[in-house]
Amino acid sequence: MPTRARERLIEAARDLFFAEGIHAVGVERLLRESGVGRASFYRHFASKDELVATMLRSYDEELRIWLRQVVEDAGGDLLAMFDGLADRMAASGYRGCASINTMVEIADPDDPARKVAVEHKQAMIQELRRLLGAPPGAELPEQLLLLFDGALVSSLRERSPAPARRARKIAQALLAA
């Protein structure tokens, strides 16, 4: 299945990095879990770091598509992002946000994976800005992302979707102001 090797590597990386952390998972483990050979790995990725960055870009795209879909399905109600987040938190295997987890694990601001994680958060702000129709410089998109991220982190501590519900109430007050 050579045409799917890249996707299998990205999927294995995502599962393993979420469950155990980036530094805890080596290339050998990725190869074993994905069923991809070493030569194939290096045909698709120059290094584990490149795989991490690719996995994070994939996560970014998927999350922004999810955000647009959740809001669209709710008739444009931006508060639905917190309802959708609560659903994600309640799902089996929930481990928070790949970008936040990466920023916690990798402190070096020049690390390529950390840069991709930071870019994801900037892209989320821009997506929220677009969904709100907010002009450049408006703080509301950043405030909503702060609530979203805070709920993500708090849910890991509480092992509950309740932080998303609390964040929704705060967001509702912000949007009404």
Side-chain angles (χ1 to χ4, degrees):
M1 234 191 208
T3 57
R4 291 246 322 122
R6 180 180 171 84
E7 290 80 14
R8 288 195 332 256
L9 284 163
I10 293 168
E11 186 178 322
R14 188 176 194 166
D15 292 346
L16 291 169
F17 297 157
F18 257 117
E20 300 174 29
I22 294 166
H23 293 307
V25 177
V27 171
E28 291 302 319
R29 178 90 183 281
L30 288 164
L31 296 177
R32 191 170 54 252
E33 295 292 326
S34 67
V36 173
R38 181 175 297 283
S40 186
F41 175 91
Y42 287 109
R43 200 170 20 257
H44 293 287
F45 301 100
S47 65
K48 177 184 163 186
D49 290 342
E50 187 177 314
L51 172 59
V52 173
T54 300
M55 182 275 301
L56 288 169
R57 283 187 196 97
S58 171
Y59 173 81
D60 166 57
E61 184 178 344
E62 289 172 21
L63 193 65
R64 287 185 294 121
I65 288 168
W66 169 85
L67 175 61
R68 284 190 293 269
Q69 191 64 56
V70 164
V71 172
E72 182 181 308
D73 290 350
D77 181 4
L78 203 58
L79 293 173
M81 69 188 249
F82 296 101
D83 300 330
L85 184 59
D87 292 342
R88 288 173 76 102
M89 291 170 173
S92 158
Y94 170 76
R95 297 280 302 154
C97 170
S99 292
I100 291 173
N101 295 352
T102 298
M103 287 185 273
V104 168
E105 188 171 351
I106 301 173
D108 179 3
D110 295 322
D111 184 281
R114 186 180 176 89
K115 285 181 178 181
V116 172
V118 170
E119 289 167 6
H120 162 68
K121 292 304 178 180
Q122 292 302 319
M124 286 290 289
I125 290 169
Q126 293 310 314
E127 188 64 39
L128 289 168
R129 186 174 304 288
R130 188 189 68 71
L131 289 167
L132 286 163
E139 288 188 346
L140 187 55
E142 286 147 346
Q143 292 169 335
L144 291 174
L145 185 64
L146 180 63
L147 289 171
F148 191 84
D149 286 350
L152 284 164
V153 173
S154 294
S155 70
L156 291 173
R157 182 188 75 243
E158 295 180 23
R159 301 243 181 243
S160 160
R165 291 190 205 93
R166 289 193 302 271
R168 185 190 199 285
K169 289 178 185 174
I170 298 167
Q172 188 171 20
L174 278 173
L175 289 167

PDB file of all heavy atoms in Angstrom, residues 5-14 16-17 22 25-27 30-31 34 41 44-58 113:
ATOM      1  N   ALA A   5       1.159   5.252   2.444  1.00  0.00           N
ATOM      2  CA  ALA A   5       2.199   5.266   3.475  1.00  0.00           C
ATOM      3  C   ALA A   5       2.264   6.616   4.174  1.00  0.00           C
ATOM      4  O   ALA A   5       2.333   6.686   5.409  1.00  0.00           O
ATOM      5  CB  ALA A   5       3.552   4.901   2.872  1.00  0.00           C
ATOM      6  N   ARG A   6       2.222   7.680   3.429  1.00  0.00           N
ATOM      7  CA  ARG A   6       2.288   9.027   4.013  1.00  0.00           C
ATOM      8  C   ARG A   6       1.125   9.248   4.984  1.00  0.00           C
ATOM      9  O   ARG A   6       1.323   9.720   6.097  1.00  0.00           O
ATOM     10  CB  ARG A   6       2.294  10.069   2.892  1.00  0.00           C
ATOM     11  CG  ARG A   6       2.357  11.499   3.376  1.00  0.00           C
ATOM     12  CD  ARG A   6       2.355  12.458   2.178  1.00  0.00           C
ATOM     13  NE  ARG A   6       2.201  13.818   2.585  1.00  0.00           N
ATOM     14  CZ  ARG A   6       3.185  14.604   2.976  1.00  0.00           C
ATOM     15  NH1 ARG A   6       4.421  14.165   2.982  1.00  0.00           N
ATOM     16  NH2 ARG A   6       2.947  15.849   3.352  1.00  0.00           N
ATOM     17  N   GLU A   7      -0.074   8.903   4.558  1.00  0.00           N
ATOM     18  CA  GLU A   7      -1.250   9.092   5.407  1.00  0.00           C
ATOM     19  C   GLU A   7      -1.179   8.223   6.654  1.00  0.00           C
ATOM     20  O   GLU A   7      -1.571   8.652   7.742  1.00  0.00           O
ATOM     21  CB  GLU A   7      -2.538   8.789   4.623  1.00  0.00           C
ATOM     22  CG  GLU A   7      -2.864   9.803   3.552  1.00  0.00           C
ATOM     23  CD  GLU A   7      -2.076   9.621   2.258  1.00  0.00           C
ATOM     24  OE1 GLU A   7      -1.461   8.540   2.073  1.00  0.00           O
ATOM     25  OE2 GLU A   7      -2.052  10.557   1.453  1.00  0.00           O
ATOM     26  N   ARG A   8      -0.700   6.985   6.492  1.00  0.00           N
ATOM     27  CA  ARG A   8      -0.568   6.099   7.654  1.00  0.00           C
ATOM     28  C   ARG A   8       0.445   6.650   8.649  1.00  0.00           C
ATOM     29  O   ARG A   8       0.244   6.554   9.867  1.00  0.00           O
ATOM     30  CB  ARG A   8      -0.186   4.686   7.203  1.00  0.00           C
ATOM     31  CG  ARG A   8      -1.331   3.975   6.516  1.00  0.00           C
ATOM     32  CD  ARG A   8      -1.157   2.471   6.359  1.00  0.00           C
ATOM     33  NE  ARG A   8       0.172   1.951   6.273  1.00  0.00           N
ATOM     34  CZ  ARG A   8       0.785   1.536   5.153  1.00  0.00           C
ATOM     35  NH1 ARG A   8       0.158   1.620   4.000  1.00  0.00           N
ATOM     36  NH2 ARG A   8       1.992   1.041   5.192  1.00  0.00           N
ATOM     37  N   LEU A   9       1.523   7.228   8.150  1.00  0.00           N
ATOM     38  CA  LEU A   9       2.521   7.838   9.044  1.00  0.00           C
ATOM     39  C   LEU A   9       1.927   9.021   9.794  1.00  0.00           C
ATOM     40  O   LEU A   9       2.123   9.165  11.007  1.00  0.00           O
ATOM     41  CB  LEU A   9       3.754   8.273   8.250  1.00  0.00           C
ATOM     42  CG  LEU A   9       4.694   7.159   7.835  1.00  0.00           C
ATOM     43  CD1 LEU A   9       5.635   7.624   6.731  1.00  0.00           C
ATOM     44  CD2 LEU A   9       5.478   6.660   9.049  1.00  0.00           C
ATOM     45  N   ILE A  10       1.207   9.861   9.091  1.00  0.00           N
ATOM     46  CA  ILE A  10       0.589  11.038   9.727  1.00  0.00           C
ATOM     47  C   ILE A  10      -0.436  10.594  10.772  1.00  0.00           C
ATOM     48  O   ILE A  10      -0.479  11.134  11.886  1.00  0.00           O
ATOM     49  CB  ILE A  10      -0.047  11.966   8.670  1.00  0.00           C
ATOM     50  CG1 ILE A  10       1.043  12.587   7.789  1.00  0.00           C
ATOM     51  CG2 ILE A  10      -0.883  13.061   9.337  1.00  0.00           C
ATOM     52  CD1 ILE A  10       0.518  13.280   6.536  1.00  0.00           C
ATOM     53  N   GLU A  11      -1.240   9.608  10.434  1.00  0.00           N
ATOM     54  CA  GLU A  11      -2.249   9.100  11.380  1.00  0.00           C
ATOM     55  C   GLU A  11      -1.596   8.480  12.614  1.00  0.00           C
ATOM     56  O   GLU A  11      -2.019   8.734  13.748  1.00  0.00           O
ATOM     57  CB  GLU A  11      -3.138   8.080  10.684  1.00  0.00           C
ATOM     58  CG  GLU A  11      -4.294   7.605  11.524  1.00  0.00           C
ATOM     59  CD  GLU A  11      -5.185   6.633  10.769  1.00  0.00           C
ATOM     60  OE1 GLU A  11      -5.404   6.841   9.568  1.00  0.00           O
ATOM     61  OE2 GLU A  11      -5.658   5.666  11.395  1.00  0.00           O
ATOM     62  N   ALA A  12      -0.572   7.675  12.400  1.00  0.00           N
ATOM     63  CA  ALA A  12       0.139   7.067  13.537  1.00  0.00           C
ATOM     64  C   ALA A  12       0.779   8.142  14.397  1.00  0.00           C
ATOM     65  O   ALA A  12       0.732   8.082  15.634  1.00  0.00           O
ATOM     66  CB  ALA A  12       1.187   6.077  13.044  1.00  0.00           C
ATOM     67  N   ALA A  13       1.384   9.134  13.750  1.00  0.00           N
ATOM     68  CA  ALA A  13       2.020  10.230  14.496  1.00  0.00           C
ATOM     69  C   ALA A  13       0.980  10.957  15.342  1.00  0.00           C
ATOM     70  O   ALA A  13       1.201  11.226  16.529  1.00  0.00           O
ATOM     71  CB  ALA A  13       2.700  11.203  13.529  1.00  0.00           C
ATOM     72  N   ARG A  14      -0.143  11.255  14.750  1.00  0.00           N
ATOM     73  CA  ARG A  14      -1.184  11.974  15.479  1.00  0.00           C
ATOM     74  C   ARG A  14      -1.645  11.170  16.697  1.00  0.00           C
ATOM     75  O   ARG A  14      -1.721  11.696  17.806  1.00  0.00           O
ATOM     76  CB  ARG A  14      -2.348  12.246  14.546  1.00  0.00           C
ATOM     77  CG  ARG A  14      -3.385  13.139  15.156  1.00  0.00           C
ATOM     78  CD  ARG A  14      -4.438  13.443  14.133  1.00  0.00           C
ATOM     79  NE  ARG A  14      -5.244  14.538  14.597  1.00  0.00           N
ATOM     80  CZ  ARG A  14      -6.064  15.216  13.831  1.00  0.00           C
ATOM     81  NH1 ARG A  14      -6.152  14.944  12.566  1.00  0.00           N
ATOM     82  NH2 ARG A  14      -6.789  16.184  14.333  1.00  0.00           N
ATOM     83  N   LEU A  16      -0.130   8.678  18.311  1.00  0.00           N
ATOM     84  CA  LEU A  16       0.937   8.473  19.297  1.00  0.00           C
ATOM     85  C   LEU A  16       1.340   9.773  19.987  1.00  0.00           C
ATOM     86  O   LEU A  16       1.551   9.795  21.203  1.00  0.00           O
ATOM     87  CB  LEU A  16       2.155   7.822  18.638  1.00  0.00           C
ATOM     88  CG  LEU A  16       1.953   6.372  18.200  1.00  0.00           C
ATOM     89  CD1 LEU A  16       3.104   5.908  17.328  1.00  0.00           C
ATOM     90  CD2 LEU A  16       1.791   5.467  19.417  1.00  0.00           C
ATOM     91  N   PHE A  17       1.473  10.846  19.231  1.00  0.00           N
ATOM     92  CA  PHE A  17       1.882  12.118  19.840  1.00  0.00           C
ATOM     93  C   PHE A  17       0.818  12.631  20.806  1.00  0.00           C
ATOM     94  O   PHE A  17       1.134  13.183  21.857  1.00  0.00           O
ATOM     95  CB  PHE A  17       2.191  13.174  18.776  1.00  0.00           C
ATOM     96  CG  PHE A  17       3.352  12.833  17.876  1.00  0.00           C
ATOM     97  CD1 PHE A  17       3.458  13.401  16.621  1.00  0.00           C
ATOM     98  CD2 PHE A  17       4.351  11.955  18.276  1.00  0.00           C
ATOM     99  CE1 PHE A  17       4.521  13.104  15.783  1.00  0.00           C
ATOM    100  CE2 PHE A  17       5.426  11.645  17.445  1.00  0.00           C
ATOM    101  CZ  PHE A  17       5.497  12.221  16.187  1.00  0.00           C
ATOM    102  N   ILE A  22       5.328  14.083  21.838  1.00  0.00           N
ATOM    103  CA  ILE A  22       6.219  14.072  20.675  1.00  0.00           C
ATOM    104  C   ILE A  22       7.569  13.470  21.011  1.00  0.00           C
ATOM    105  O   ILE A  22       8.072  12.602  20.299  1.00  0.00           O
ATOM    106  CB  ILE A  22       6.381  15.502  20.105  1.00  0.00           C
ATOM    107  CG1 ILE A  22       5.045  15.999  19.545  1.00  0.00           C
ATOM    108  CG2 ILE A  22       7.475  15.544  19.042  1.00  0.00           C
ATOM    109  CD1 ILE A  22       4.990  17.481  19.268  1.00  0.00           C
ATOM    110  N   VAL A  25       7.942   9.512  21.592  1.00  0.00           N
ATOM    111  CA  VAL A  25       7.728   8.580  20.486  1.00  0.00           C
ATOM    112  C   VAL A  25       8.846   8.735  19.463  1.00  0.00           C
ATOM    113  O   VAL A  25       9.036   9.807  18.898  1.00  0.00           O
ATOM    114  CB  VAL A  25       6.360   8.830  19.813  1.00  0.00           C
ATOM    115  CG1 VAL A  25       6.169   7.907  18.627  1.00  0.00           C
ATOM    116  CG2 VAL A  25       5.229   8.675  20.823  1.00  0.00           C
ATOM    117  N   GLY A  26       9.561   7.658  19.243  1.00  0.00           N
ATOM    118  CA  GLY A  26      10.649   7.676  18.271  1.00  0.00           C
ATOM    119  C   GLY A  26      10.217   7.191  16.898  1.00  0.00           C
ATOM    120  O   GLY A  26       9.108   6.670  16.715  1.00  0.00           O
ATOM    121  N   VAL A  27      11.119   7.340  15.946  1.00  0.00           N
ATOM    122  CA  VAL A  27      10.845   6.924  14.579  1.00  0.00           C
ATOM    123  C   VAL A  27      10.548   5.426  14.503  1.00  0.00           C
ATOM    124  O   VAL A  27       9.637   5.009  13.790  1.00  0.00           O
ATOM    125  CB  VAL A  27      12.016   7.310  13.645  1.00  0.00           C
ATOM    126  CG1 VAL A  27      11.842   6.695  12.258  1.00  0.00           C
ATOM    127  CG2 VAL A  27      12.126   8.832  13.536  1.00  0.00           C
ATOM    128  N   LEU A  30       7.016   4.841  15.366  1.00  0.00           N
ATOM    129  CA  LEU A  30       6.152   5.316  14.289  1.00  0.00           C
ATOM    130  C   LEU A  30       6.110   4.321  13.135  1.00  0.00           C
ATOM    131  O   LEU A  30       5.048   4.054  12.573  1.00  0.00           O
ATOM    132  CB  LEU A  30       6.636   6.687  13.781  1.00  0.00           C
ATOM    133  CG  LEU A  30       6.392   7.860  14.712  1.00  0.00           C
ATOM    134  CD1 LEU A  30       7.238   9.051  14.305  1.00  0.00           C
ATOM    135  CD2 LEU A  30       4.916   8.229  14.715  1.00  0.00           C
ATOM    136  N   LEU A  31       7.278   3.765  12.805  1.00  0.00           N
ATOM    137  CA  LEU A  31       7.347   2.784  11.723  1.00  0.00           C
ATOM    138  C   LEU A  31       6.546   1.538  12.084  1.00  0.00           C
ATOM    139  O   LEU A  31       5.769   1.028  11.273  1.00  0.00           O
ATOM    140  CB  LEU A  31       8.803   2.415  11.431  1.00  0.00           C
ATOM    141  CG  LEU A  31       9.699   3.544  10.920  1.00  0.00           C
ATOM    142  CD1 LEU A  31      11.129   3.058  10.752  1.00  0.00           C
ATOM    143  CD2 LEU A  31       9.158   4.142   9.636  1.00  0.00           C
ATOM    144  N   SER A  34       2.681   2.344  12.197  1.00  0.00           N
ATOM    145  CA  SER A  34       2.110   2.687  10.891  1.00  0.00           C
ATOM    146  C   SER A  34       2.228   1.554   9.883  1.00  0.00           C
ATOM    147  O   SER A  34       1.515   1.546   8.872  1.00  0.00           O
ATOM    148  CB  SER A  34       2.790   3.937  10.325  1.00  0.00           C
ATOM    149  OG  SER A  34       4.149   3.654  10.005  1.00  0.00           O
ATOM    150  N   PHE A  41       9.429   5.904   4.905  1.00  0.00           N
ATOM    151  CA  PHE A  41       9.344   7.055   5.811  1.00  0.00           C
ATOM    152  C   PHE A  41      10.185   8.199   5.262  1.00  0.00           C
ATOM    153  O   PHE A  41       9.698   9.326   5.103  1.00  0.00           O
ATOM    154  CB  PHE A  41       9.825   6.679   7.215  1.00  0.00           C
ATOM    155  CG  PHE A  41       9.873   7.845   8.169  1.00  0.00           C
ATOM    156  CD1 PHE A  41       8.775   8.157   8.949  1.00  0.00           C
ATOM    157  CD2 PHE A  41      11.005   8.644   8.289  1.00  0.00           C
ATOM    158  CE1 PHE A  41       8.806   9.238   9.829  1.00  0.00           C
ATOM    159  CE2 PHE A  41      11.047   9.720   9.151  1.00  0.00           C
ATOM    160  CZ  PHE A  41       9.942  10.019   9.923  1.00  0.00           C
ATOM    161  N   HIS A  44       9.040  10.126   2.253  1.00  0.00           N
ATOM    162  CA  HIS A  44       7.964  11.094   2.487  1.00  0.00           C
ATOM    163  C   HIS A  44       8.367  12.241   3.407  1.00  0.00           C
ATOM    164  O   HIS A  44       7.848  13.353   3.280  1.00  0.00           O
ATOM    165  CB  HIS A  44       6.736  10.388   3.074  1.00  0.00           C
ATOM    166  CG  HIS A  44       6.096   9.447   2.119  1.00  0.00           C
ATOM    167  ND1 HIS A  44       5.355   9.858   1.038  1.00  0.00           N
ATOM    168  CD2 HIS A  44       6.104   8.086   2.067  1.00  0.00           C
ATOM    169  CE1 HIS A  44       4.922   8.807   0.362  1.00  0.00           C
ATOM    170  NE2 HIS A  44       5.365   7.715   0.969  1.00  0.00           N
ATOM    171  N   PHE A  45       9.268  11.962   4.353  1.00  0.00           N
ATOM    172  CA  PHE A  45       9.647  12.969   5.342  1.00  0.00           C
ATOM    173  C   PHE A  45      11.156  12.937   5.543  1.00  0.00           C
ATOM    174  O   PHE A  45      11.734  11.867   5.708  1.00  0.00           O
ATOM    175  CB  PHE A  45       8.949  12.706   6.687  1.00  0.00           C
ATOM    176  CG  PHE A  45       7.463  12.704   6.576  1.00  0.00           C
ATOM    177  CD1 PHE A  45       6.745  11.518   6.517  1.00  0.00           C
ATOM    178  CD2 PHE A  45       6.761  13.899   6.494  1.00  0.00           C
ATOM    179  CE1 PHE A  45       5.375  11.504   6.386  1.00  0.00           C
ATOM    180  CE2 PHE A  45       5.378  13.904   6.365  1.00  0.00           C
ATOM    181  CZ  PHE A  45       4.680  12.706   6.306  1.00  0.00           C
ATOM    182  N   ALA A  46      11.777  14.112   5.559  1.00  0.00           N
ATOM    183  CA  ALA A  46      13.227  14.184   5.757  1.00  0.00           C
ATOM    184  C   ALA A  46      13.608  13.826   7.191  1.00  0.00           C
ATOM    185  O   ALA A  46      14.731  13.405   7.450  1.00  0.00           O
ATOM    186  CB  ALA A  46      13.734  15.576   5.403  1.00  0.00           C
ATOM    187  N   SER A  47      12.648  13.986   8.123  1.00  0.00           N
ATOM    188  CA  SER A  47      12.947  13.753   9.535  1.00  0.00           C
ATOM    189  C   SER A  47      11.649  13.613  10.317  1.00  0.00           C
ATOM    190  O   SER A  47      10.559  13.918   9.808  1.00  0.00           O
ATOM    191  CB  SER A  47      13.743  14.934  10.095  1.00  0.00           C
ATOM    192  OG  SER A  47      12.927  16.106  10.075  1.00  0.00           O
ATOM    193  N   LYS A  48      11.778  13.212  11.559  1.00  0.00           N
ATOM    194  CA  LYS A  48      10.630  13.155  12.455  1.00  0.00           C
ATOM    195  C   LYS A  48      10.061  14.562  12.632  1.00  0.00           C
ATOM    196  O   LYS A  48       8.835  14.743  12.671  1.00  0.00           O
ATOM    197  CB  LYS A  48      11.034  12.567  13.806  1.00  0.00           C
ATOM    198  CG  LYS A  48       9.912  12.547  14.824  1.00  0.00           C
ATOM    199  CD  LYS A  48      10.404  12.038  16.165  1.00  0.00           C
ATOM    200  CE  LYS A  48       9.435  12.384  17.271  1.00  0.00           C
ATOM    201  NZ  LYS A  48       9.947  12.028  18.589  1.00  0.00           N
ATOM    202  N   ASP A  49      10.937  15.562  12.713  1.00  0.00           N
ATOM    203  CA  ASP A  49      10.474  16.949  12.860  1.00  0.00           C
ATOM    204  C   ASP A  49       9.560  17.364  11.713  1.00  0.00           C
ATOM    205  O   ASP A  49       8.561  18.060  11.919  1.00  0.00           O
ATOM    206  CB  ASP A  49      11.653  17.908  12.951  1.00  0.00           C
ATOM    207  CG  ASP A  49      12.421  17.790  14.246  1.00  0.00           C
ATOM    208  OD1 ASP A  49      11.877  17.233  15.224  1.00  0.00           O
ATOM    209  OD2 ASP A  49      13.581  18.244  14.291  1.00  0.00           O
ATOM    210  N   GLU A  50       9.905  16.947  10.512  1.00  0.00           N
ATOM    211  CA  GLU A  50       9.070  17.275   9.357  1.00  0.00           C
ATOM    212  C   GLU A  50       7.710  16.575   9.467  1.00  0.00           C
ATOM    213  O   GLU A  50       6.675  17.151   9.134  1.00  0.00           O
ATOM    214  CB  GLU A  50       9.763  16.880   8.057  1.00  0.00           C
ATOM    215  CG  GLU A  50       9.022  17.357   6.823  1.00  0.00           C
ATOM    216  CD  GLU A  50       9.755  17.023   5.543  1.00  0.00           C
ATOM    217  OE1 GLU A  50      10.981  17.239   5.462  1.00  0.00           O
ATOM    218  OE2 GLU A  50       9.081  16.527   4.612  1.00  0.00           O
ATOM    219  N   LEU A  51       7.712  15.338   9.945  1.00  0.00           N
ATOM    220  CA  LEU A  51       6.455  14.618  10.156  1.00  0.00           C
ATOM    221  C   LEU A  51       5.604  15.336  11.207  1.00  0.00           C
ATOM    222  O   LEU A  51       4.390  15.496  11.025  1.00  0.00           O
ATOM    223  CB  LEU A  51       6.712  13.169  10.579  1.00  0.00           C
ATOM    224  CG  LEU A  51       5.488  12.355  11.011  1.00  0.00           C
ATOM    225  CD1 LEU A  51       4.441  12.278   9.906  1.00  0.00           C
ATOM    226  CD2 LEU A  51       5.912  10.961  11.449  1.00  0.00           C
ATOM    227  N   VAL A  52       6.223  15.782  12.278  1.00  0.00           N
ATOM    228  CA  VAL A  52       5.488  16.502  13.324  1.00  0.00           C
ATOM    229  C   VAL A  52       4.835  17.751  12.739  1.00  0.00           C
ATOM    230  O   VAL A  52       3.641  18.008  12.950  1.00  0.00           O
ATOM    231  CB  VAL A  52       6.405  16.877  14.511  1.00  0.00           C
ATOM    232  CG1 VAL A  52       5.673  17.771  15.494  1.00  0.00           C
ATOM    233  CG2 VAL A  52       6.935  15.643  15.207  1.00  0.00           C
ATOM    234  N   ALA A  53       5.598  18.534  11.982  1.00  0.00           N
ATOM    235  CA  ALA A  53       5.068  19.763  11.387  1.00  0.00           C
ATOM    236  C   ALA A  53       3.919  19.445  10.425  1.00  0.00           C
ATOM    237  O   ALA A  53       2.892  20.138  10.415  1.00  0.00           O
ATOM    238  CB  ALA A  53       6.177  20.529  10.675  1.00  0.00           C
ATOM    239  N   THR A  54       4.064  18.391   9.635  1.00  0.00           N
ATOM    240  CA  THR A  54       3.016  17.990   8.692  1.00  0.00           C
ATOM    241  C   THR A  54       1.759  17.562   9.441  1.00  0.00           C
ATOM    242  O   THR A  54       0.642  17.933   9.066  1.00  0.00           O
ATOM    243  CB  THR A  54       3.517  16.843   7.785  1.00  0.00           C
ATOM    244  OG1 THR A  54       4.659  17.319   7.063  1.00  0.00           O
ATOM    245  CG2 THR A  54       2.447  16.390   6.821  1.00  0.00           C
ATOM    246  N   MET A  55       1.928  16.782  10.493  1.00  0.00           N
ATOM    247  CA  MET A  55       0.797  16.342  11.297  1.00  0.00           C
ATOM    248  C   MET A  55       0.069  17.551  11.892  1.00  0.00           C
ATOM    249  O   MET A  55      -1.160  17.623  11.882  1.00  0.00           O
ATOM    250  CB  MET A  55       1.277  15.402  12.415  1.00  0.00           C
ATOM    251  CG  MET A  55       0.177  14.826  13.293  1.00  0.00           C
ATOM    252  SD  MET A  55      -0.374  15.823  14.693  1.00  0.00           S
ATOM    253  CE  MET A  55       1.096  16.044  15.644  1.00  0.00           C
ATOM    254  N   LEU A  56       0.828  18.537  12.360  1.00  0.00           N
ATOM    255  CA  LEU A  56       0.214  19.729  12.951  1.00  0.00           C
ATOM    256  C   LEU A  56      -0.527  20.561  11.897  1.00  0.00           C
ATOM    257  O   LEU A  56      -1.583  21.124  12.185  1.00  0.00           O
ATOM    258  CB  LEU A  56       1.260  20.582  13.660  1.00  0.00           C
ATOM    259  CG  LEU A  56       1.785  20.002  14.976  1.00  0.00           C
ATOM    260  CD1 LEU A  56       2.994  20.787  15.449  1.00  0.00           C
ATOM    261  CD2 LEU A  56       0.696  19.990  16.036  1.00  0.00           C
ATOM    262  N   ARG A  57       0.022  20.649  10.703  1.00  0.00           N
ATOM    263  CA  ARG A  57      -0.675  21.373   9.630  1.00  0.00           C
ATOM    264  C   ARG A  57      -1.996  20.670   9.290  1.00  0.00           C
ATOM    265  O   ARG A  57      -3.002  21.329   9.043  1.00  0.00           O
ATOM    266  CB  ARG A  57       0.210  21.474   8.393  1.00  0.00           C
ATOM    267  CG  ARG A  57       1.285  22.516   8.518  1.00  0.00           C
ATOM    268  CD  ARG A  57       2.052  22.738   7.209  1.00  0.00           C
ATOM    269  NE  ARG A  57       3.272  23.440   7.516  1.00  0.00           N
ATOM    270  CZ  ARG A  57       4.467  22.866   7.689  1.00  0.00           C
ATOM    271  NH1 ARG A  57       4.595  21.551   7.546  1.00  0.00           N
ATOM    272  NH2 ARG A  57       5.520  23.589   7.993  1.00  0.00           N
ATOM    273  N   SER A  58      -1.977  19.358   9.278  1.00  0.00           N
ATOM    274  CA  SER A  58      -3.185  18.584   9.025  1.00  0.00           C
ATOM    275  C   SER A  58      -4.214  18.843  10.131  1.00  0.00           C
ATOM    276  O   SER A  58      -5.406  19.051   9.858  1.00  0.00           O
ATOM    277  CB  SER A  58      -2.831  17.094   8.951  1.00  0.00           C
ATOM    278  OG  SER A  58      -3.976  16.304   8.904  1.00  0.00           O
ATOM    279  N   ALA A 113       8.142  22.738  14.697  1.00  0.00           N
ATOM    280  CA  ALA A 113       6.834  22.259  15.164  1.00  0.00           C
ATOM    281  C   ALA A 113       6.142  23.320  16.009  1.00  0.00           C
ATOM    282  O   ALA A 113       4.933  23.545  15.869  1.00  0.00           O
ATOM    283  CB  ALA A 113       6.988  20.961  15.951  1.00  0.00           C
TER     284      ALA A 113
END
